[in-house]
Amino acid sequence: MTELANLFDLSGRVAVITGGAGLLGEQHAIAIAIAGGVPVLVDIQEERARDRAAAIAETYGVSAFGCAVDITSQQAIESLQDQILSRFGRIDILINNAANNPKMEASGEIDFSRLENFPLSQWDADLAVGLTGAFLCSKVLGGYMAASGGGVILNVASDLALIAPDQRIYRRPGLPEHLQPVKPVTYSVVKSALVGLTRYLATYWAAQKVRVNAISPGGVANGQPDDFVQRLTNLIPLGRMAASNEYQGAILFLCSDASSYMTGANLVIDGGRSCW
């Protein structure tokens, strides 16, 4: 039993979590901390990242660090790497979690979430954070791990990397078609691309002992309107949305030696939604 528990032990391992101050990013950091690892919460919101890191350090008795980094800048990521190595001396895990998830509300004469009206500037911004950011973090931090004996990269995709969004669940009664909100195209594009990036990196760095996997979580309950929740849960065999901490087991599994023979995979945890 002790030997099995050791497979999940992350004592001393340093895990960089982008979007670390967000709803799921904080939960990923907690999972790392519970296993004895050192979570580094990277987020564009510096104060929030520092506060979350301080709370995790106090609660779980581990070192934790929060900082602001623009992950669309290779120079900023290289500076982050130097800072982490100076502070902790190692980097073992990268969780590419950061993403734009704009809440495009209907307003004025058109809804900008709709494909016909979706601004190129928003497309560029969403891909810059969710995809280019993951590429640059993998290039810099994954490159370090590849040159240093190995490590783990975990890309946070989505159930919408496997299935198209059911736009009916976003509809609002009484609005004309051109004002009906939809899940933006960039979300599906970014999350699908992350699965492709996962497979590419898994084979590219296999010989360097860098394992690369993805997780595709379903929707997380976070105070959404009741009518939206009802429409969404009707599409999920388990009949509910996920709690924010329900992906911690998968995070720990994929970041630890418990998944030592697993790379290039996409672990789907969506309450069964993609079965239907």
Side-chain angles (χ1 to χ4, degrees):
M1 186 66 178
T2 302
E3 185 176 341
L4 181 59
N6 287 341
L7 291 175
F8 295 90
D9 184 18
L10 296 178
S11 295
R13 299 189 197 181
V14 176
V16 179
I17 305 155
T18 67
L23 178 66
L24 286 185
E26 181 181 4
Q27 296 299 322
H28 303 337
I30 290 171
I32 297 296
I34 287 173
V38 177
V40 177
L41 285 70
V42 173
D43 203 284
I44 201 69
Q45 302 179 68
E46 182 172 14
E47 184 176 354
R48 186 178 171 93
R50 291 186 184 278
D51 288 348
R52 296 295 185 273
I56 289 170
E58 182 177 358
T59 302
Y60 300 99
V62 299
S63 296
F65 179 53
C67 58
V69 178
D70 177 5
I71 62 168
T72 68
S73 164
Q74 181 168 330
Q75 183 177 4
I77 299 166
E78 290 170 348
S79 295
L80 170 68
Q81 176 179 281
D82 292 342
Q83 192 174 4
I84 294 171
L85 293 177
S86 175
R87 182 181 288 257
F88 299 113
R90 59 192 291 175
I91 299 171
D92 305 278
I93 299 163
L94 166 63
I95 302 178
N96 284 314
N97 173 74
N100 282 353
N101 188 12
K103 304 299 187 293
M104 309 286 286
E105 304 294 337
S107 61
E109 297 182 358
I110 59 174
D111 188 288
F112 284 99
S113 67
R114 299 190 66 82
L115 182 65
E116 298 87 346
N117 309 312
F118 198 73
L120 179 58
S121 59
Q122 188 68 53
W123 169 278
D124 290 341
D126 293 350
L127 266 65
V129 174
L131 186 54
T132 303
F135 159 69
L136 290 174
C137 287
S138 298
K139 176 183 178 181
V140 175
L141 305 180
Y144 167 82
M145 289 188 279
S148 304
V152 171
I153 298 174
L154 177 57
N155 293 320
V156 179
S158 166
D159 55 357
L160 298 185
L162 294 97
I163 57 176
D166 188 337
Q167 305 292 9
R168 294 172 297 181
I169 68 175
Y170 303 101
R171 292 186 68 86
R172 296 179 184 175
L175 286 179
E177 193 65 25
H178 72 282
L179 284 178
Q180 289 292 344
V182 296
K183 190 73 169 179
V185 60
T186 45
Y187 192 83
S188 290
V189 169
V190 166
K191 296 304 186 180
S192 298
L194 284 176
V195 176
L197 180 65
T198 297
R199 294 174 181 140
Y200 182 93
L201 295 177
T203 53
Y204 186 80
W205 277 326
Q208 287 73 35
K209 299 181 181 179
V210 177
R211 296 189 300 107
V212 188
N213 291 293
I215 180 174
S216 282
V220 175
N222 189 32
Q224 294 93 339
D226 290 343
D227 57 342
F228 169 82
V229 172
Q230 184 60 53
R231 290 194 296 267
L232 177 55
T233 54
N234 284 341
L235 303 175
I236 301 172
L238 289 186
R240 62 179 179 85
M241 299 179 72
S244 63
N245 64 355
E246 283 194 282
Y247 301 116
Q248 289 181 326
I251 295 295
L252 178 55
F253 170 64
L254 291 172
C255 289
S256 71
D257 294 341
S259 58
S260 59
Y261 195 58
M262 189 171 178
T263 196
N266 179 29
L267 185 59
V268 181
I269 310 176
D270 63 354
R273 182 182 179 186
S274 56
C275 293
W276 274 348

PDB file of all heavy atoms in Angstrom, residues 107-131:
ATOM      1  N   SER A 107     -25.823  42.307 -26.850  1.00  0.00           N
ATOM      2  CA  SER A 107     -26.024  43.731 -26.593  1.00  0.00           C
ATOM      3  C   SER A 107     -26.075  44.461 -27.921  1.00  0.00           C
ATOM      4  O   SER A 107     -25.533  43.995 -28.918  1.00  0.00           O
ATOM      5  CB  SER A 107     -24.886  44.293 -25.722  1.00  0.00           C
ATOM      6  OG  SER A 107     -23.646  44.160 -26.373  1.00  0.00           O
ATOM      7  N   GLY A 108     -26.703  45.628 -27.904  1.00  0.00           N
ATOM      8  CA  GLY A 108     -26.766  46.410 -29.133  1.00  0.00           C
ATOM      9  C   GLY A 108     -27.559  45.686 -30.208  1.00  0.00           C
ATOM     10  O   GLY A 108     -28.552  45.024 -29.934  1.00  0.00           O
ATOM     11  N   GLU A 109     -27.101  45.799 -31.441  1.00  0.00           N
ATOM     12  CA  GLU A 109     -27.837  45.251 -32.559  1.00  0.00           C
ATOM     13  C   GLU A 109     -27.356  43.874 -32.990  1.00  0.00           C
ATOM     14  O   GLU A 109     -28.017  43.206 -33.764  1.00  0.00           O
ATOM     15  CB  GLU A 109     -27.752  46.214 -33.747  1.00  0.00           C
ATOM     16  CG  GLU A 109     -28.405  47.564 -33.454  1.00  0.00           C
ATOM     17  CD  GLU A 109     -28.359  48.478 -34.663  1.00  0.00           C
ATOM     18  OE1 GLU A 109     -27.790  48.063 -35.682  1.00  0.00           O
ATOM     19  OE2 GLU A 109     -28.895  49.590 -34.581  1.00  0.00           O
ATOM     20  N   ILE A 110     -26.165  43.456 -32.489  1.00  0.00           N
ATOM     21  CA  ILE A 110     -25.650  42.130 -32.839  1.00  0.00           C
ATOM     22  C   ILE A 110     -25.027  41.499 -31.611  1.00  0.00           C
ATOM     23  O   ILE A 110     -24.737  42.162 -30.628  1.00  0.00           O
ATOM     24  CB  ILE A 110     -24.591  42.195 -33.975  1.00  0.00           C
ATOM     25  CG1 ILE A 110     -23.415  43.075 -33.546  1.00  0.00           C
ATOM     26  CG2 ILE A 110     -25.202  42.692 -35.263  1.00  0.00           C
ATOM     27  CD1 ILE A 110     -22.272  43.065 -34.535  1.00  0.00           C
ATOM     28  N   ASP A 111     -24.828  40.201 -31.660  1.00  0.00           N
ATOM     29  CA  ASP A 111     -24.101  39.509 -30.616  1.00  0.00           C
ATOM     30  C   ASP A 111     -22.738  39.121 -31.167  1.00  0.00           C
ATOM     31  O   ASP A 111     -22.643  38.398 -32.146  1.00  0.00           O
ATOM     32  CB  ASP A 111     -24.869  38.264 -30.155  1.00  0.00           C
ATOM     33  CG  ASP A 111     -24.194  37.653 -28.941  1.00  0.00           C
ATOM     34  OD1 ASP A 111     -23.111  37.068 -29.127  1.00  0.00           O
ATOM     35  OD2 ASP A 111     -24.714  37.774 -27.827  1.00  0.00           O
ATOM     36  N   PHE A 112     -21.689  39.600 -30.523  1.00  0.00           N
ATOM     37  CA  PHE A 112     -20.349  39.411 -31.071  1.00  0.00           C
ATOM     38  C   PHE A 112     -19.814  38.000 -30.883  1.00  0.00           C
ATOM     39  O   PHE A 112     -18.774  37.664 -31.437  1.00  0.00           O
ATOM     40  CB  PHE A 112     -19.386  40.433 -30.451  1.00  0.00           C
ATOM     41  CG  PHE A 112     -19.553  41.814 -31.007  1.00  0.00           C
ATOM     42  CD1 PHE A 112     -20.278  42.767 -30.319  1.00  0.00           C
ATOM     43  CD2 PHE A 112     -19.015  42.149 -32.241  1.00  0.00           C
ATOM     44  CE1 PHE A 112     -20.450  44.050 -30.834  1.00  0.00           C
ATOM     45  CE2 PHE A 112     -19.179  43.427 -32.767  1.00  0.00           C
ATOM     46  CZ  PHE A 112     -19.893  44.377 -32.061  1.00  0.00           C
ATOM     47  N   SER A 113     -20.507  37.165 -30.096  1.00  0.00           N
ATOM     48  CA  SER A 113     -20.061  35.782 -29.978  1.00  0.00           C
ATOM     49  C   SER A 113     -20.373  34.991 -31.242  1.00  0.00           C
ATOM     50  O   SER A 113     -19.732  33.976 -31.511  1.00  0.00           O
ATOM     51  CB  SER A 113     -20.720  35.104 -28.768  1.00  0.00           C
ATOM     52  OG  SER A 113     -22.121  34.972 -28.966  1.00  0.00           O
ATOM     53  N   ARG A 114     -21.333  35.447 -32.017  1.00  0.00           N
ATOM     54  CA  ARG A 114     -21.741  34.692 -33.197  1.00  0.00           C
ATOM     55  C   ARG A 114     -20.657  34.743 -34.272  1.00  0.00           C
ATOM     56  O   ARG A 114     -19.973  35.748 -34.468  1.00  0.00           O
ATOM     57  CB  ARG A 114     -23.073  35.231 -33.740  1.00  0.00           C
ATOM     58  CG  ARG A 114     -24.218  35.119 -32.718  1.00  0.00           C
ATOM     59  CD  ARG A 114     -25.554  35.427 -33.351  1.00  0.00           C
ATOM     60  NE  ARG A 114     -25.908  34.417 -34.345  1.00  0.00           N
ATOM     61  CZ  ARG A 114     -26.457  33.238 -34.053  1.00  0.00           C
ATOM     62  NH1 ARG A 114     -26.717  32.916 -32.805  1.00  0.00           N
ATOM     63  NH2 ARG A 114     -26.755  32.387 -35.017  1.00  0.00           N
ATOM     64  N   LEU A 115     -20.493  33.644 -34.974  1.00  0.00           N
ATOM     65  CA  LEU A 115     -19.401  33.491 -35.928  1.00  0.00           C
ATOM     66  C   LEU A 115     -19.378  34.602 -36.971  1.00  0.00           C
ATOM     67  O   LEU A 115     -18.316  35.140 -37.301  1.00  0.00           O
ATOM     68  CB  LEU A 115     -19.522  32.128 -36.626  1.00  0.00           C
ATOM     69  CG  LEU A 115     -18.422  31.787 -37.619  1.00  0.00           C
ATOM     70  CD1 LEU A 115     -17.083  31.636 -36.918  1.00  0.00           C
ATOM     71  CD2 LEU A 115     -18.771  30.512 -38.383  1.00  0.00           C
ATOM     72  N   GLU A 116     -20.553  34.978 -37.458  1.00  0.00           N
ATOM     73  CA  GLU A 116     -20.622  35.996 -38.514  1.00  0.00           C
ATOM     74  C   GLU A 116     -20.086  37.355 -38.055  1.00  0.00           C
ATOM     75  O   GLU A 116     -19.659  38.169 -38.879  1.00  0.00           O
ATOM     76  CB  GLU A 116     -22.071  36.175 -38.995  1.00  0.00           C
ATOM     77  CG  GLU A 116     -22.691  34.937 -39.618  1.00  0.00           C
ATOM     78  CD  GLU A 116     -23.329  34.021 -38.602  1.00  0.00           C
ATOM     79  OE1 GLU A 116     -23.085  34.191 -37.380  1.00  0.00           O
ATOM     80  OE2 GLU A 116     -24.084  33.125 -39.005  1.00  0.00           O
ATOM     81  N   ASN A 117     -20.122  37.583 -36.749  1.00  0.00           N
ATOM     82  CA  ASN A 117     -19.762  38.891 -36.206  1.00  0.00           C
ATOM     83  C   ASN A 117     -18.507  38.842 -35.331  1.00  0.00           C
ATOM     84  O   ASN A 117     -18.098  39.866 -34.789  1.00  0.00           O
ATOM     85  CB  ASN A 117     -20.923  39.423 -35.349  1.00  0.00           C
ATOM     86  CG  ASN A 117     -22.243  39.379 -36.080  1.00  0.00           C
ATOM     87  OD1 ASN A 117     -22.335  39.805 -37.225  1.00  0.00           O
ATOM     88  ND2 ASN A 117     -23.260  38.838 -35.442  1.00  0.00           N
ATOM     89  N   PHE A 118     -17.910  37.677 -35.213  1.00  0.00           N
ATOM     90  CA  PHE A 118     -16.820  37.496 -34.246  1.00  0.00           C
ATOM     91  C   PHE A 118     -15.603  38.310 -34.669  1.00  0.00           C
ATOM     92  O   PHE A 118     -15.073  38.132 -35.766  1.00  0.00           O
ATOM     93  CB  PHE A 118     -16.458  36.008 -34.145  1.00  0.00           C
ATOM     94  CG  PHE A 118     -15.673  35.673 -32.912  1.00  0.00           C
ATOM     95  CD1 PHE A 118     -16.279  35.660 -31.671  1.00  0.00           C
ATOM     96  CD2 PHE A 118     -14.324  35.367 -32.995  1.00  0.00           C
ATOM     97  CE1 PHE A 118     -15.557  35.341 -30.524  1.00  0.00           C
ATOM     98  CE2 PHE A 118     -13.594  35.045 -31.857  1.00  0.00           C
ATOM     99  CZ  PHE A 118     -14.219  35.033 -30.619  1.00  0.00           C
ATOM    100  N   PRO A 119     -15.111  39.209 -33.820  1.00  0.00           N
ATOM    101  CA  PRO A 119     -14.025  40.099 -34.220  1.00  0.00           C
ATOM    102  C   PRO A 119     -12.701  39.364 -34.385  1.00  0.00           C
ATOM    103  O   PRO A 119     -12.376  38.482 -33.574  1.00  0.00           O
ATOM    104  CB  PRO A 119     -13.936  41.102 -33.058  1.00  0.00           C
ATOM    105  CG  PRO A 119     -15.194  40.941 -32.280  1.00  0.00           C
ATOM    106  CD  PRO A 119     -15.627  39.525 -32.474  1.00  0.00           C
ATOM    107  N   LEU A 120     -11.954  39.730 -35.392  1.00  0.00           N
ATOM    108  CA  LEU A 120     -10.624  39.154 -35.584  1.00  0.00           C
ATOM    109  C   LEU A 120      -9.738  39.438 -34.370  1.00  0.00           C
ATOM    110  O   LEU A 120      -8.927  38.593 -33.978  1.00  0.00           O
ATOM    111  CB  LEU A 120      -9.980  39.714 -36.847  1.00  0.00           C
ATOM    112  CG  LEU A 120      -8.564  39.221 -37.170  1.00  0.00           C
ATOM    113  CD1 LEU A 120      -8.523  37.708 -37.314  1.00  0.00           C
ATOM    114  CD2 LEU A 120      -8.027  39.912 -38.426  1.00  0.00           C
ATOM    115  N   SER A 121      -9.922  40.592 -33.762  1.00  0.00           N
ATOM    116  CA  SER A 121      -9.117  40.930 -32.591  1.00  0.00           C
ATOM    117  C   SER A 121      -9.369  39.955 -31.443  1.00  0.00           C
ATOM    118  O   SER A 121      -8.448  39.581 -30.700  1.00  0.00           O
ATOM    119  CB  SER A 121      -9.417  42.365 -32.138  1.00  0.00           C
ATOM    120  OG  SER A 121     -10.789  42.511 -31.820  1.00  0.00           O
ATOM    121  N   GLN A 122     -10.634  39.510 -31.290  1.00  0.00           N
ATOM    122  CA  GLN A 122     -10.946  38.551 -30.242  1.00  0.00           C
ATOM    123  C   GLN A 122     -10.386  37.172 -30.594  1.00  0.00           C
ATOM    124  O   GLN A 122      -9.880  36.453 -29.727  1.00  0.00           O
ATOM    125  CB  GLN A 122     -12.458  38.463 -30.039  1.00  0.00           C
ATOM    126  CG  GLN A 122     -12.870  37.616 -28.835  1.00  0.00           C
ATOM    127  CD  GLN A 122     -12.468  38.267 -27.524  1.00  0.00           C
ATOM    128  OE1 GLN A 122     -12.788  39.423 -27.268  1.00  0.00           O
ATOM    129  NE2 GLN A 122     -11.765  37.521 -26.683  1.00  0.00           N
ATOM    130  N   TRP A 123     -10.475  36.793 -31.858  1.00  0.00           N
ATOM    131  CA  TRP A 123      -9.865  35.538 -32.335  1.00  0.00           C
ATOM    132  C   TRP A 123      -8.382  35.530 -31.989  1.00  0.00           C
ATOM    133  O   TRP A 123      -7.854  34.570 -31.417  1.00  0.00           O
ATOM    134  CB  TRP A 123     -10.091  35.399 -33.837  1.00  0.00           C
ATOM    135  CG  TRP A 123      -9.325  34.309 -34.508  1.00  0.00           C
ATOM    136  CD1 TRP A 123      -8.028  34.358 -34.931  1.00  0.00           C
ATOM    137  CD2 TRP A 123      -9.793  32.991 -34.833  1.00  0.00           C
ATOM    138  NE1 TRP A 123      -7.664  33.159 -35.506  1.00  0.00           N
ATOM    139  CE2 TRP A 123      -8.726  32.307 -35.463  1.00  0.00           C
ATOM    140  CE3 TRP A 123     -11.003  32.334 -34.679  1.00  0.00           C
ATOM    141  CZ2 TRP A 123      -8.835  30.992 -35.915  1.00  0.00           C
ATOM    142  CZ3 TRP A 123     -11.122  31.024 -35.129  1.00  0.00           C
ATOM    143  CH2 TRP A 123     -10.047  30.368 -35.737  1.00  0.00           C
ATOM    144  N   ASP A 124      -7.684  36.604 -32.351  1.00  0.00           N
ATOM    145  CA  ASP A 124      -6.244  36.687 -32.103  1.00  0.00           C
ATOM    146  C   ASP A 124      -5.929  36.616 -30.610  1.00  0.00           C
ATOM    147  O   ASP A 124      -4.985  35.933 -30.191  1.00  0.00           O
ATOM    148  CB  ASP A 124      -5.678  37.985 -32.681  1.00  0.00           C
ATOM    149  CG  ASP A 124      -5.659  38.004 -34.204  1.00  0.00           C
ATOM    150  OD1 ASP A 124      -5.738  36.912 -34.813  1.00  0.00           O
ATOM    151  OD2 ASP A 124      -5.570  39.096 -34.778  1.00  0.00           O
ATOM    152  N   ALA A 125      -6.718  37.304 -29.796  1.00  0.00           N
ATOM    153  CA  ALA A 125      -6.478  37.324 -28.356  1.00  0.00           C
ATOM    154  C   ALA A 125      -6.693  35.949 -27.734  1.00  0.00           C
ATOM    155  O   ALA A 125      -5.906  35.493 -26.890  1.00  0.00           O
ATOM    156  CB  ALA A 125      -7.389  38.352 -27.693  1.00  0.00           C
ATOM    157  N   ASP A 126      -7.759  35.265 -28.151  1.00  0.00           N
ATOM    158  CA  ASP A 126      -8.061  33.955 -27.573  1.00  0.00           C
ATOM    159  C   ASP A 126      -7.013  32.919 -27.958  1.00  0.00           C
ATOM    160  O   ASP A 126      -6.589  32.096 -27.130  1.00  0.00           O
ATOM    161  CB  ASP A 126      -9.443  33.490 -28.032  1.00  0.00           C
ATOM    162  CG  ASP A 126     -10.564  34.351 -27.477  1.00  0.00           C
ATOM    163  OD1 ASP A 126     -10.296  35.181 -26.591  1.00  0.00           O
ATOM    164  OD2 ASP A 126     -11.710  34.198 -27.951  1.00  0.00           O
ATOM    165  N   LEU A 127      -6.592  32.933 -29.221  1.00  0.00           N
ATOM    166  CA  LEU A 127      -5.556  31.986 -29.644  1.00  0.00           C
ATOM    167  C   LEU A 127      -4.210  32.314 -29.015  1.00  0.00           C
ATOM    168  O   LEU A 127      -3.423  31.410 -28.706  1.00  0.00           O
ATOM    169  CB  LEU A 127      -5.439  31.950 -31.168  1.00  0.00           C
ATOM    170  CG  LEU A 127      -6.270  30.850 -31.858  1.00  0.00           C
ATOM    171  CD1 LEU A 127      -7.759  31.074 -31.664  1.00  0.00           C
ATOM    172  CD2 LEU A 127      -5.945  30.751 -33.344  1.00  0.00           C
ATOM    173  N   ALA A 128      -3.945  33.601 -28.818  1.00  0.00           N
ATOM    174  CA  ALA A 128      -2.670  34.004 -28.219  1.00  0.00           C
ATOM    175  C   ALA A 128      -2.514  33.426 -26.821  1.00  0.00           C
ATOM    176  O   ALA A 128      -1.453  32.903 -26.455  1.00  0.00           O
ATOM    177  CB  ALA A 128      -2.560  35.524 -28.186  1.00  0.00           C
ATOM    178  N   VAL A 129      -3.566  33.506 -26.027  1.00  0.00           N
ATOM    179  CA  VAL A 129      -3.491  33.017 -24.647  1.00  0.00           C
ATOM    180  C   VAL A 129      -3.600  31.496 -24.595  1.00  0.00           C
ATOM    181  O   VAL A 129      -2.744  30.807 -24.021  1.00  0.00           O
ATOM    182  CB  VAL A 129      -4.592  33.658 -23.779  1.00  0.00           C
ATOM    183  CG1 VAL A 129      -4.604  33.036 -22.392  1.00  0.00           C
ATOM    184  CG2 VAL A 129      -4.382  35.155 -23.688  1.00  0.00           C
ATOM    185  N   GLY A 130      -4.656  30.949 -25.190  1.00  0.00           N
ATOM    186  CA  GLY A 130      -4.944  29.531 -25.023  1.00  0.00           C
ATOM    187  C   GLY A 130      -4.036  28.597 -25.795  1.00  0.00           C
ATOM    188  O   GLY A 130      -3.746  27.487 -25.329  1.00  0.00           O
ATOM    189  N   LEU A 131      -3.566  29.026 -26.962  1.00  0.00           N
ATOM    190  CA  LEU A 131      -2.774  28.128 -27.799  1.00  0.00           C
ATOM    191  C   LEU A 131      -1.315  28.571 -27.901  1.00  0.00           C
ATOM    192  O   LEU A 131      -0.403  27.797 -27.605  1.00  0.00           O
ATOM    193  CB  LEU A 131      -3.396  28.022 -29.192  1.00  0.00           C
ATOM    194  CG  LEU A 131      -2.754  27.014 -30.141  1.00  0.00           C
ATOM    195  CD1 LEU A 131      -2.690  25.628 -29.507  1.00  0.00           C
ATOM    196  CD2 LEU A 131      -3.513  26.963 -31.461  1.00  0.00           C
TER     197      LEU A 131
END
